[in-house]
Amino acid sequence: MSRSDAIRTLSVALDERSYPIHIGPGLLGRPETLTPYLAGRQVMIVTNETVAPLYLEAFKRGLPEELEVREVVLPDGEHTKTLESVARIWDALLAAGFNRRCTLVALGGGVVGDMTGYAAACYQRGVAFIQVPTTLLSQVDSSVGGKTGVNHPRGKNMIGAFWQPKAVLIDTDTLATLPSRELSAGLAEVIKYGLIRDLDFLAWLEAQMPALRRLDGEVLREAIYRSCAIKAEVVAADETEQGARALLNLGHTFGHAIEAHQGYGAWLHGEAVGTGMLMAAELSRRLGWLSEGDVARVAAVIAAADLPPAAPADMGVEDFLAVMRLDKKNIDARLRLVLLSGLGDACLYDATPPERLEALLADFPRR
Ligand code: NAD
Ligand code: GLY
């Protein structure tokens, strides 16, 4: 198979705002995958200090000469996912005199993607943007679906907007430079799709985990394709999370509490989600929905992905609850959790008896 034959395309079906997800090797150097989605000649590439030395030049080399290309290189890290960083993007756009027909390109992981999307949503009341995700997590999750924004010291992703990209270009070659801890964090979101929606995919992941961890190109592309297919379907059915989209948050309510309590960046988002999914599975078992064998299976696939099996030692019940009470899924002070009604099947549940939740938070393993 040639490299161009390896490129596969999905669509996020949102009527006139529908967009393609192109997945394959070598996409960075192929302008034809990008130029149809530019609003005009002005292009602002947003990236960070880690990704720029790796991929910025290769990306720019692939752009047609007639474009007016500028760049903003932000500092790296979840703790930089702030309004101040987004303001740097707006400053650069204004300094360059970019108008409403400019296009922002997010070249990097989920942090760059979420901030660039939010900058695009607000600049001159909304301009085009394209996602070029370079981490596994951003390729399977954050680049698709139009959730954009920044963190607030009191809660993760609390400031933001729904703003869909014009296209998502996933160059799977970029994963070659990804640290293995980041690969594992991305695998958490891949496992999530199997757990909430697709038991066959979960079984496939259990079998393919060693190949995924040694970056087998074909297996990785298949995992990314199947993950994006599920995400695209869910987003098309419920773009602004009135219902089914909330199921994509399996493990996130617990995970966000870990991230916020530990300080953004101490635990990677995917690591916290991995532990959070195990907590959600255990709570589902205690509610009578999963068997011990099911929970052991979840624990095994989390361990195979090299994700943490236990919560931070310094987090007490109230530390979890303080952040969980602020979760965006809650309605009228009722805590709503994504739980597993079976393996491969998730539900949004707002009737967990508080004493059951507190017992789980108290006796879930710590490390
Ligand atoms: P990240 O953006 O911080 O990237 C992880 C690290 O990898 C960073 O140091 C980054 O510079 C580096 N990196 C990126 N690409 C690389 C490459 N190819 N080679 C080497 N290093 C590379 O983290 P992430 O895991 O990509 O994304 C996490 C963020 O995404 C969180 O802020 C989370 O809230 C957000 N998120 C958003 C959504 C959404 O729907 N918008 C969904 C899930 C997660
Ligand atoms: N990552 C959750 C969502 O996009 O809805």
Side-chain angles (χ1 to χ4, degrees), residues 48-51 54-55 76-78 81 108-114 131 133-139 141-149 151 156-157 173-179 182 185-186 189 192 231 245 252 256 259 268-270:
N48 74 18
E49 286 166 353
T50 305
V51 178
L54 295 169
Y55 299 112
D76 192 1
E78 182 73 36
K81 192 174 156 183
V111 170
V112 163
D114 282 11
Q131 290 273 20
T134 60
T135 61
L136 181 61
L137 185 140
S138 57
Q139 295 182 351
D141 191 353
S142 62
S143 63
V144 176
K147 278 190 182 175
T148 72
N151 299 328
K156 200 164 152 57
N157 299 330
D173 285 346
T174 59
L175 298 177
T177 53
L178 198 64
E182 299 290 350
E189 303 281 8
K192 174 188 80 179
K231 177 122 193 205
R245 185 166 179 172
H252 285 56
H256 283 168
E259 284 185 270
L268 302 182
H269 174 72

Side-chain angles (χ1 to χ4, degrees), residues 190 193-194 198-206 223 226-227 230:
V190 176
Y193 294 114
D198 189 340
L199 197 49
D200 285 347
F201 186 38
L202 184 69
W204 182 85
L205 287 171
E206 288 168 334
R226 289 177 77 166
S227 300
I230 294 175

Side-chain angles (χ1 to χ4, degrees), residues 141 189 192 248-257 259 269 272-273 276-277 327 329:
D141 191 353
E189 303 281 8
K192 174 188 80 179
L248 295 175
N249 280 306
L250 177 70
H252 285 56
T253 310
F254 299 109
H256 283 168
E259 284 185 270
H269 174 72
V273 166
M277 291 194 297
D327 191 86
K329 289 184 293 304

Side-chain angles (χ1 to χ4, degrees), residues 32 38 47 63-65 88 131 149 192 214 258-259 275:
E32 72 278 14
L38 298 175
T47 185
L63 296 177
E65 276 182 9
R88 283 185 56 182
Q131 290 273 20
K192 174 188 80 179
R214 63 166 188 271
I258 296 174
E259 284 185 270
T275 304

